Amino acid sequence: MVIPAYNAEHTLGAGLRALLAQIEQWPQPVEVIVVDDGSQDGTAALAQALGVRVITQPNQGPGGARNHGVREACGDLVLFIDSDCEPAPGWLAAMAAAFARADIIGVKGAYLTRQRELAARFVQIEYEDRYDRMRTQEYIDFIDTYSAGYRRAVFLENNGFDTIFSTGSNEDQEFSFRLAQKGYHMRFVPDAQVYHQHDKTLAEYVRRKFYIGYYKALLTRWLPERLVKDSHTPQVLKVQMALITLALAALPLALFWRPALWGAAALTLAFLLSALPFTVKALRKDWPVGLVAPFMLAVRALTLTAGFAAGRFHFRGDAQGARRPVLSAWQRVGKRLLDVSGAVVGLAISLLPMVVIAIAIKLDTRGPIFFSQDRVGENGRLFRVYKFRSMVDNAELRRHEVVDLDALSEPAYKIRDDPRVTRVGRWLRRFSLDELPQFVNVLRGEMSLVGPRPEEAALVARYNDWQRRRLSVKPGMTGPMQINGRGDLTLAQRVALEVEYIEHYSLWRDVAILLKTLPAVLRGEGSY
């Protein structure tokens, strides 16, 4: 348990006492570490008086404090609360239970509040609205550290929080996004609740939202895909930011061009309509908050926009945060255009051959023409891959006859002379014709024409941290593996090629791999 603290004497005591009361009832040892991050009040003395371990360091921000605490911790799991949080009864049990599944490496809890200030009550309903969304998701990609936990080994292997986020804003988002990029599984645990002191005034709320937007500009420069979607941020918020900004921009224009006034009015109406679902929810929970909800949502949208614009300006160029994204926004757009156009052409060219293949499969053996299976895609998301069936109908049930996954020296296998492969299937595999239906996966956005090989979930679950780097882009129909030996490569050789492809990505490289694919297929190296 790591608690970062900076001048937190007036808030730390209640949280520590509540936590220690839960630990007294816990059957296993729990280590509590308070990292005093340059406090100038009695924070350290208070923590020591309560009998917990205190680490003192010069001010490095909450991210640096948490990193220090994790390095000093001894357990396999490390849990976080903030110094202004008080864990509710059952918090420790809920957090620990979430890690019962071995594939879960991170968890996130929820806020409660006892405050009566109107701003604080709005903030609480704002969080509850987001919790309602996360309850519907099996896995999340966004963990706030006010009530959070990670497997310590994974935390350290990924270097913890980036300390460039010096004000305690977005460093937790960035870290969880970075882990999600590797396909790690994280979960929302609504019963792991902590009481918190939310913003008491409108000024406090505006300041916090401004800095969230400010550092979001840096975060999305590194992870541009998070501008599109994450498990925490409502999509309607992005719409509201655009609507309110355009409405205000139209007002000065109305001084010279009267139709702009009508445009501003229409944009304002659209904003109010977008705010209606949240407003109705707030009215049902706390009617005074519901009455001010449209105004607060407008303030939120404007403040986040202003902060984001300021951050974009400040972090422009390479002066700050020079870390390169996996794929830039423009690279993603270019790659998607290539995928869609290539898949359409590919389907048109291969339509007649696919009809012939379908007939051959039906004449050869009993069973369906197509084979589908769950595979792991970008950021570990599962999707259903489609192929022509090249094995007997019950091949998956007979896998144990040819390979024992638990006995593999590495999480990968290719079997020469697999007895499950049919006569037609051997021919299809020799020329990679069994993969032609994957043009459909490309059109659906689940795969790319070029990328790492899509792998089975059972194998990905056995990956180490380095091997997971191949999950940061969409899998491909072809890729560096397919033009460099295919099944003859070891997993280490394949991952090295794929990571190098990701780290030095260019659209021209995709084109070059596509051009090399047909000669590689005709050579047939590693095709079994």
Side-chain angles (χ1 to χ4, degrees):
M1 165 63 62
V2 176
I3 306 171
Y6 173 76
N7 290 344
E9 182 179 4
H10 65 293
T11 59
L12 183 64
L16 272 179
R17 291 186 181 92
L19 177 62
L20 293 172
Q22 293 186 38
I23 290 173
E24 286 180 2
Q25 308 299 320
W26 196 248
Q28 299 173 342
V30 177
E31 178 185 28
V32 180
I33 300 175
V34 171
V35 182
D36 178 19
D37 190 47
S39 299
Q40 297 179 355
D41 61 3
T43 298
L46 172 63
Q48 289 171 339
L50 290 172
V52 303
R53 182 183 175 191
V54 177
I55 298 172
T56 301
Q57 65 175 30
N59 182 244
Q60 298 177 21
R66 294 187 187 100
N67 291 345
H68 192 169
V70 174
R71 288 192 298 268
E72 295 290 331
C74 299
D76 295 330
L77 303 178
V78 58
L79 308 182
F80 299 105
I81 60 170
D82 290 338
S83 56
D84 58 355
C85 291
E86 176 187 335
W91 177 82
L92 183 59
M95 294 292 282
F99 285 103
R101 277 178 44 180
D103 66 313
I104 300 300
I105 63 92
V107 298
K108 162 190 166 69
Y111 269 144
L112 296 172
T113 190
R114 301 186 181 97
Q115 294 172 273
R116 299 312 305 156
E117 296 90 353
L118 194 61
R121 285 150 55 195
F122 171 81
V123 171
Q124 180 62 31
I125 294 176
E126 186 182 23
Y127 275 107
E128 289 172 3
D129 181 55
R130 300 184 182 210
Y131 299 155
D132 289 343
R133 292 180 65 251
M134 286 188 287
R135 281 188 178 92
T136 66
Q137 302 172 48
E138 182 178 7
Y139 303 118
I140 60 173
D141 55 27
F142 188 119
I143 292 182
D144 308 86
T145 47
Y146 56 78
S147 174
Y150 289 102
R151 295 195 186 275
R152 182 170 175 267
V154 174
F155 185 97
L156 293 175
E157 198 162 17
N158 286 273
N159 302 315
F161 302 107
D162 195 316
T163 55
I164 195 172
F165 300 95
S166 57
T167 64
S169 180
N170 295 84
E171 82 286 350
D172 44 6
Q173 296 180 35
E174 188 276 333
F175 182 59
S176 52
F177 288 161
R178 200 170 357 123
L179 294 177
Q181 199 173 63
K182 295 182 176 180
Y184 283 114
H185 289 164
M186 296 171 280
R187 299 198 76 175
F188 174 51
V189 188
D191 293 334
Q193 299 170 327
V194 296
Y195 288 96
H196 181 247
Q197 292 292 311
H198 297 323
D199 305 315
K200 297 179 181 179
T201 66
L202 181 61
E204 290 179 357
Y205 182 76
V206 166
R207 176 180 172 82
R208 182 170 61 86
K209 289 294 183 182
F210 178 87
Y211 279 106
I212 288 175
Y214 181 82
Y215 281 109
K216 195 84 166 184
L218 176 59
L219 187 157
T220 53
R221 184 179 159 198
W222 294 340
L223 300 153
E225 64 273 21
R226 297 304 173 186
L227 278 172
V228 179
K229 186 179 181 181
D230 64 65
S231 62
H232 184 263
T233 307
Q235 293 295 82
V236 71
L237 171 57
K238 301 162 191 175
V239 175
Q240 291 171 349
M241 290 170 67
L243 289 173
I244 201 70
T245 302
L246 291 172
L248 287 180
L251 290 177
L253 185 60
L255 296 174
F256 310 100
W257 188 49
R258 190 168 183 81
L261 185 61
W262 292 105
L267 289 165
T268 302
L269 178 60
F271 174 85
L272 292 173
L273 289 174
S274 73
L276 189 59
F278 181 92
T279 301
V280 171
K281 182 182 291 188
L283 285 168
R284 290 173 176 169
K285 292 186 174 185
D286 188 338
W287 68 265
V289 172
L291 293 179
V292 302
F295 169 75
M296 293 295 291
L297 292 176
V299 169
R300 179 180 74 174
L302 278 172
T303 307
L304 285 170
T305 303
F308 188 82
R312 279 289 188 185
F313 177 79
H314 180 76
F315 295 113
R316 69 193 184 283
D318 293 326
Q320 296 280 344
R323 196 174 91 194
R324 181 184 178 275
V326 172
L327 296 179
S328 70
W330 287 114
Q331 285 174 329
R332 287 182 176 275
V333 171
K335 190 172 178 65
R336 184 59 183 152
L337 289 174
L338 178 64
D339 287 343
V340 172
S341 57
V344 169
V345 171
L347 281 172
I349 293 173
S350 60
L351 184 59
L352 182 57
M354 285 199 290
V355 172
V356 175
I357 290 169
I359 294 172
I361 291 172
K362 270 300 182 183
L363 293 175
D364 184 38
T365 57
R366 293 181 179 179
I369 294 170
F370 297 103
F371 168 78
S372 66
Q373 184 184 52
D374 283 340
R375 294 290 178 97
V376 179
E378 184 180 23
N379 298 172
R381 289 189 290 268
L382 289 179
F383 71 98
R384 200 75 178 167
V385 71
Y386 298 102
K387 304 175 72 173
F388 281 119
R389 181 173 60 85
S390 61
M391 292 188 176
V392 295
D393 189 24
N394 62 345
E396 285 193 280
L397 297 177
R398 293 176 52 190
R399 182 169 62 179
H400 67 280
E401 298 176 9
V402 293
V403 64
D404 180 357
L405 295 185
D406 293 328
L408 292 172
S409 59
E410 58 181 13
Y413 67 93
K414 269 288 190 179
I415 305 169
R416 291 182 182 272
D417 301 319
D418 191 326
R420 300 172 298 165
V421 178
T422 64
R423 289 174 298 174
V424 169
R426 293 191 188 282
W427 181 75
L428 294 177
R429 289 185 168 208
R430 168 61 181 79
F431 296 101
S432 296
L433 295 173
D434 58 321
E435 297 179 359
L436 290 177
Q438 291 172 20
F439 282 126
V440 174
N441 291 114
V442 174
L443 285 177
R444 292 171 58 169
E446 298 158 336
M447 291 180 62
S448 177
L449 292 177
V450 181
R453 169 188 164 87
E455 197 53 90
E456 299 177 41
L459 295 174
V460 171
R462 293 165 167 81
Y463 277 5
N464 61 33
D465 190 79
W466 176 70
Q467 291 160 349
R468 285 180 171 274
R469 294 175 65 186
R470 64 188 302 275
L471 302 178
S472 59
V473 297
K474 291 178 184 177
M477 291 183 66
T478 185
M481 170 196 174
Q482 287 85 341
I483 65 171
N484 286 285
R486 300 172 68 177
D488 290 338
L489 299 174
T490 65
L491 179 62
Q493 290 171 325
R494 189 216 313 170
V495 174
L497 285 169
E498 292 171 340
V499 169
E500 194 272 340
Y501 161 80
I502 293 167
E503 291 181 344
H504 300 90
Y505 175 79
S506 74
L507 193 60
W508 295 116
R509 193 167 191 182
D510 273 5
V511 173
I513 290 174
L514 288 171
L515 293 175
K516 293 177 181 178
T517 295
L518 182 57
V521 168
L522 294 176
R523 288 194 305 269
E525 297 173 359
S527 58
Y528 50 87

